Amino acid sequence: MINYEKITKEELAKEIEKLLKEYNKENCIYKLSEIYDEGLSNENSQILENELKNLLESYKKGSIGIAQINPIAGNIEYNAQKVVKYIKHAQNIGLDLVVFPELTLMGYPIEDTIDRHPIIVEENVKWLKAIAKITKETTAIVGFVEPRKYDHLTGKKYFNSVAVMQNGEIKGIIRKSLLPTYSEFNDYRYIEPSPVVGNQPGETLGDFDSEKIQQCEAVNLINGLKYGISICEDCWNNKEFFNDTTLYSIDPIDELSKEKPDVFINCSASPTRAKKEQLKHNMLSFISKKYSTPIVYVNQVGAIDNSSFDGSSRVFDKKGKLLARAKSFQEQFLIVNPHMNLGKIYPLTKGLEKTLTEAKVYTLEYEPDLERTYKTIIQGIQDYFKKTGFKRAVLGLSGGLDSTVCAVLLTDALGKDNVFGISMPSKITSQESKSDAEKLANNLGINFTEAPIKDMVEVTNNCLQNLFKTVEEKWNCRYKQSFTMDNIQARSRAMFLWGISNEFEKCLPIATSDKSELYMGYATINGDMSGGFAPIADVPKTKLFALARWLNENRDVKNAIPEAIILKKPGAELAINPKTGKPLIAEDALMPYEFLDEIIWRIENKKEHYYDMLDSEFLYEQHNPVSKEQKIQWLDKFYRRMAAALYKWSILPPSVIVDSRSINKYDYKQPITSSRINYKGLDEKTIEDKIQTFLYL
Amino acid sequence: MINYEKITKEELAKEIEKLLKEYNKENCIYKLSEIYDEGLSNENSQILENELKNLLESYKKGSIGIAQINPIAGNIEYNAQKVVKYIKHAQNIGLDLVVFPELTLMGYPIEDTIDRHPIIVEENVKWLKAIAKITKETTAIVGFVEPRKYDHLTGKKYFNSVAVMQNGEIKGIIRKSLLPTYSEFNDYRYIEPSPVVGNQPGETLGDFDSEKIQQCEAVNLINGLKYGISICEDCWNNKEFFNDTTLYSIDPIDELSKEKPDVFINCSASPTRAKKEQLKHNMLSFISKKYSTPIVYVNQVGAIDNSSFDGSSRVFDKKGKLLARAKSFQEQFLIVNPHMNLGKIYPLTKGLEKTLTEAKVYTLEYEPDLERTYKTIIQGIQDYFKKTGFKRAVLGLSGGLDSTVCAVLLTDALGKDNVFGISMPSKITSQESKSDAEKLANNLGINFTEAPIKDMVEVTNNCLQNLFKTVEEKWNCRYKQSFTMDNIQARSRAMFLWGISNEFEKCLPIATSDKSELYMGYATINGDMSGGFAPIADVPKTKLFALARWLNENRDVKNAIPEAIILKKPGAELAINPKTGKPLIAEDALMPYEFLDEIIWRIENKKEHYYDMLDSEFLYEQHNPVSKEQKIQWLDKFYRRMAAALYKWSILPPSVIVDSRSINKYDYKQPITSSRINYKGLDEKTIEDKIQTFLYL
């Protein structure tokens, strides 16, 4: 591989010459763009840009640069630097247009921050105006938070807008009309929906009046072509595509289409979730075909807290055919010309590719989604660490599946030197667990040590037993069987990890809880569910098994995860099963994971309730006989434990949303005090009888 | 005091006779209602209701029962039982109308729960229909979640509605038009705004078609009077009152007024926050006066998670004068007749009463708001425990202000027998701290014991020092000075408290962090900021001092808090100040609390930024000279620490929102990765210079 960052002028020239001989014009454009993305010296950039400019000469009209960037929320200077870089690049290579994702300067989402700290909105406007001044012939479309005119305002204080800038001036402003306010989206908390689509009329432009924004049509005329510009959700409301079931009454794309644009442009910040990609692909294809107008869809990449954006920006031609697609989970500058069919389709991360069939997502056949799952989490870890200024991770290695998969993901996200695995055996911990953990660490090449918790558990237990006696004298309500000892072990381990985090620079401890166990509240507060970040909190156990196998097959270093870890039955090794005399298996305390994960999947995706599930066959039942009593017992346990777990969900560390639905608290909100919901429901007759009883109470 | 729950028939008859002699008719109605609220046997209720019915005979036309109830979110049966009780009561005493708060059957807020578990929406409809069947002449107005017609739906799946029910039938349905989506409110996540105000046209009623709902005007005709009904936020959008600055473009009250209603009714669930009451009072008064129409405002009471609803339902006559007001922070059934001027004004909790002046809220003169603060938190604790099934609390008593105030609040909320205070001294803990803690516990009469953490800290420290050496061999980035030892102490204490919580039934440990320290991240993860509930997380330190004095003066048992605790300088007693050789004082590590709390207040309430504060005088500066360098140092420290505290805010346990603004994660959302915001901002020239630099990078 050539190191382009350090290449000399002469070497680069030779490399370019070689490419020009070997490839046709279109491919040369992409080869050179890829080299540019590697990062070049200023001087080398100029050389390369001159070549690109020549190559693009024949595509001049309607050529567009898609700047798929990874912003930091609220860090306007950081984001603006990227904007300036790509505007300059687009100018240098002579593009008509360079387009950035939604809320480019602010990062999406910014949430209530702008309401409490309005100075950052002022700042993003200042930066926008200053950036406008450096624009030349190449038009730049940049997202920002637009403060609204202040006197006698109706509605929220801000619009989610993009500015169209050319020749040193802001030429037009487009505002988001449809505001997603569900799941991880909270747009309507801080943004006013725009009643007008496309270019906004000058009299509403407030602060920007002085910029002499031209009065223009809804669409923007750029170098002889008309562009219909919209923002993210604005393109997600086609009544025909969604079978007449839509979230909003207006369809900005349909409105824009009336102005007969030559191209649609949509600036987005759309995070990845299971099963979303196919829908997005089909929808964008449908729109471009329906209106016989190409669509350029520019997506944000990178993670902001719990949301991981996949990038994969793309262009569909007017027949609805995919013309170009940027890389997934990576910053990229992609040149396209929908007008002249210039575009390259980079491979999509697998799993983004296909809609999973219902039957497959709750069995162990998670395979189609594993690469996407992997990249989503890797990006989530990387960006959380980078954007908060952390670098190192420390985690407990139990020899179990959860901590194992976390260790692999951390290794790939942060680099092996930045990961420290600590085996913290108790007296229950088996020799195998210890050696499995060590084997794993060796295979990964991460730092590793063993730190037994025996002394700490003993002292804590002694202190507590005395304390319990005193408390029991006053409170005669001691449990006959408690989880206290189990929890002391988990908390002692967390104490070690947080200690290391306190003692070493830029180091975060990792919470290793998985989705299945969080649903069941089978995680210790201040123990395994405590940490600075929780990588697998949205991955159910059965999918973790599949992911472990996938990692063994697909990483450069094969089979890093010892087979024994994948084969053994999960168990926290916190307590001994009195029946077997061996460490308690999690499935004994809970229920078979395959059954559990199907309950979760049915609730989240099909919104099924208790009797829906009781009265239909689970995949697990196809190969395991389950009596009705057993099924009732499992379902009852599920709902009881889930209700009690709501508090734990509320204090879960930041995580990455992976699944189509999750319990991530920024994605799903349920009052903790709603824990006594009757999930079974009652029939009409019972309700009427109860009311009669109430009447005579 | 008479124990009405156990009173005999004869005693009650005598009591009533006495009242009838002593008081005029109006006062008798209220005296009897108060007795009813105490809870009577079925037989005694009938006796009392007969008397009430006689007394109300002359008020027959337009008499209304305000059922100010405390629901449990999602527990429809529990809420329905209250509804049935009060409908029956209203019938028995011959009222025209009985009105319940917003989302009566579901409880407000219910959040995304209804989207993931639609069965509870089906349930609330079944209960609603069954309740309609028991209505007679008395009309009942009951809130519920209304599922929308399903085929080809535009918008969200649900309306936030009330049903008007009489003589066994649903007569009309009114839907909320304005959806608060800010601070603690997330209505637009799960509710579709209604484009129509007042009674909904029959063709949109979907599921209710079969109920033969009469086609009617926007207003409801009940016993010869016209009622204009709206829901909560619907009455908060008067352009004139809000000086032409409103959140929504339509004003449902103004729309309803066109139908000339005799009375407005507003079903609300509006939580208390500092400075909200005066606004609400003035606004409702303004509306009733402007439209020359009385308004009946029915509010929810009780706490749901982080929101504490104050009740204080009320009626204004058509001149805008307060005619009646229910109790604050208490369930009540209040009889009013706005048509005939029947109403009693119960005293408002102090602090709800007045708008605090700006000058006063960030000094120690918090007095006007202290009773409200106290009751808000007490209700918050009580309802969180009751609704989640907990009963007991355990907390560490350090002899410091935070844990002391928490202990008093818990004692008053849960009863002294249900509170266990544990003094957990380390070697740094002073003799005074220990004895202050014990004195406090004795004064409160709560359970108390001492459990030194010395052994645990020693063992943990030994284990960790060894571990640190190993880690240091790999990671050459150990801090020269760390907070590890401080944190081990705080975490050891939390280990004890969570141990007790694990070992004893229905027991929650308490997180004692206050708002000032949470802003600064001056709280230990898995230590003092860990717990099942955080009572004072929205109370800044200077207000806590005032609250402590207020508690000493206003509780039945005076001066429960030893004066020494109030007088001493706050400090966590986790480390020794190397300069003084004494335990570190928090203000030395941070800055003077009076200064800190004013920063917080200015940011939250005035949205000031760095230079606003640097360039204006703080109250603290009026009596303490502060150099500009010192002020810059404090402000820099504030912003740096606040940015780093965002993660801690995200894992804070449930708490009660008290202040006008808060950092409660259900109230304020900011991405953790936005920690590098430039809160100082840059001027235009600097921005342009930076852009020039970026251009040549």
Side-chain angles (χ1 to χ4, degrees), chain B residues 3 38 76 140 185 268 280 305 394 423 425 440 481 495 554 560 584 587 646 656 670 682:
Chain B
N3 183 343
E38 295 275 322
I76 299 158
F185 306 112
S268 276
K280 190 198 281 183
D305 288 22
V394 59
S423 165
L440 170 75
Q481 278 193 308
M495 196 100 133
N554 288 280
L584 198 69
E587 291 189 327
L646 292 173
V656 208
Q670 176 171 351
L682 298 170

Side-chain angles (χ1 to χ4, degrees), chain A residues 19-276:
Chain A
L19 290 174
L20 291 173
K21 271 188 207 145
E22 241 171 281
Y23 295 100
N24 67 8
K25 192 190 281 187
E26 186 173 336
N27 277 317
C28 281
I29 291 170
Y30 289 103
K31 290 284 171 195
L32 291 182
S33 284
E34 283 162 22
I35 293 173
Y36 177 83
D37 276 341
E38 295 276 322
L40 291 174
S41 71
N42 219 4
E43 198 183 15
N44 282 347
S45 279
Q46 280 176 24
I47 295 170
L48 184 124
E49 285 172 334
N50 282 337
E51 279 303 330
L52 263 174
K53 192 173 182 172
N54 289 338
L55 289 164
L56 285 162
E57 195 55 47
S58 58
Y59 293 107
K60 188 132 191 45
K61 188 170 171 177
S63 61
I64 301 175
I66 292 177
Q68 176 174 295
I69 64 167
N70 179 352
I72 297 181
N75 193 334
I76 299 158
E77 184 172 337
Y78 176 91
N79 304 332
Q81 184 171 345
K82 289 184 188 282
V83 171
V84 170
K85 172 186 166 186
Y86 287 120
I87 287 180
K88 178 182 148 198
H89 181 56
Q91 283 171 356
N92 289 349
I93 61 177
L95 300 180
D96 268 11
L97 197 53
V98 53
V99 189
F100 294 86
E102 182 178 12
L103 288 194
T104 323
L105 291 175
M106 194 61 86
Y108 182 94
I110 186 63
E111 304 280 359
D112 305 344
T113 325
I114 54 174
D115 202 46
R116 182 155 299 179
H117 301 287
I119 186 176
I120 62 168
V121 179
E122 289 171 37
E123 285 297 297
N124 101 133
V125 170
K126 281 194 228 167
W127 279 95
L128 183 81
K129 288 181 178 177
I131 290 170
K133 288 188 192 165
I134 63 149
T135 56
K136 299 181 183 164
E137 193 58 34
T138 299
T139 298
I141 300 180
V142 175
F144 71 110
V145 175
E146 183 191 356
R148 300 179 61 204
K149 273 187 174 175
Y150 250 74
D151 296 351
H152 311 313
L153 194 66
T154 299
K156 312 276 184 183
K157 292 190 185 125
Y158 306 107
F159 285 124
N160 177 332
S161 303
V162 296
V164 181
M165 308 183 287
Q166 192 194 26
N167 290 325
E169 284 183 347
I170 294 174
K171 300 278 189 183
I173 283 175
I174 291 93
R175 296 168 182 154
K176 194 175 185 179
S177 293
L178 310 185
L179 302 182
T181 307
Y182 50 78
S183 306
E184 69 270 58
F185 306 112
N186 287 306
D187 279 27
Y188 188 54
R189 282 180 70 88
Y190 50 100
I191 297 294
E192 181 67 13
S194 171
V196 177
V197 301
N199 260 312
Q200 300 297 306
E203 66 271 19
T204 71
L205 292 178
D207 214 19
F208 294 98
D209 272 341
S210 57
E211 305 295 313
K212 295 179 204 147
I213 296 174
Q214 62 190 45
Q215 292 283 334
C216 44
E217 305 293 305
V219 295
N220 285 266
L221 193 66
I222 298 165
N223 200 8
L225 291 172
K226 290 197 288 182
Y227 292 87
I229 303 169
S230 63
I231 302 173
C232 205
E233 194 87 342
D234 287 348
C235 80
W236 285 80
N237 206 45
N238 188 288
K239 285 200 185 306
E240 204 181 324
F241 179 78
F242 288 108
N243 194 20
D244 268 355
T245 301
T246 51
L247 266 178
Y248 316 92
S249 52
I250 62 163
D251 179 359
I253 300 296
D254 197 65
E255 297 290 317
L256 283 173
S257 75
K258 293 170 189 163
E259 306 286 328
K260 308 267 175 239
D262 296 297
V263 181
F264 287 127
I265 287 180
N266 182 272
C267 301
S268 276
S270 181
T272 173
R273 304 197 65 157
K275 301 212 273 176
K276 186 171 173 181

Side-chain angles (χ1 to χ4, degrees), chain B residues 485-500:
Chain B
M485 262 310 285
D486 310 36
N487 287 329
I488 291 173
Q489 296 167 60
R491 287 182 188 132
S492 297
R493 291 182 177 122
M495 196 100 133
F496 281 10
L497 300 179
W498 280 102
I500 292 172

Side-chain angles (χ1 to χ4, degrees), chain B residues 602-619:
Chain B
R602 284 176 179 231
I603 288 176
E604 290 193 342
N605 291 279
K606 298 176 81 178
K607 307 192 177 181
E608 289 194 5
H609 64 73
Y610 187 92
Y611 288 108
D612 292 333
M613 291 190 274
L614 186 60
D615 299 338
S616 62
E617 192 185 49
F618 277 52
L619 288 179

Side-chain angles (χ1 to χ4, degrees), chain A residues 678 681-694, chain B residues 74-84 87 105-106 119-134 142 144 165 170 208:
Chain A
N678 179 348
L682 298 169
D683 61 45
E684 281 82 355
K685 175 76 177 61
T686 310
I687 289 173
E688 287 183 9
D689 289 349
K690 278 182 182 271
I691 287 177
Q692 287 307 316
T693 323
F694 296 161
Chain B
N75 193 333
I76 299 158
E77 182 171 340
Y78 176 91
N79 303 332
Q81 184 171 344
K82 289 184 188 282
V83 171
V84 170
I87 289 179
L105 291 175
M106 194 61 86
I119 186 176
I120 63 169
V121 178
E122 288 171 36
E123 285 298 295
N124 101 135
V125 170
K126 282 194 225 165
W127 279 94
L128 184 81
K129 288 181 178 176
I131 289 170
K133 288 190 191 164
I134 62 150
V142 175
F144 71 110
M165 309 183 287
I170 294 173
F208 294 99

Side-chain angles (χ1 to χ4, degrees), chain B residues 324-338:
Chain B
R325 188 176 52 214
K327 295 172 183 171
S328 317
F329 300 106
Q330 223 174 300
E331 285 198 322
Q332 193 184 2
F333 187 85
L334 179 69
I335 298 165
V336 298
N337 189 317

Side-chain angles (χ1 to χ4, degrees), chain B residues 454-472:
Chain B
K454 194 176 147 288
D455 292 353
M456 215 176 128
V457 170
E458 216 172 271
V459 170
T460 308
N461 193 36
N462 287 344
C463 293
L464 275 179
Q465 291 310 327
N466 288 331
L467 184 52
F468 290 165
K469 267 182 221 146
T470 314
V471 173
E472 203 178 3

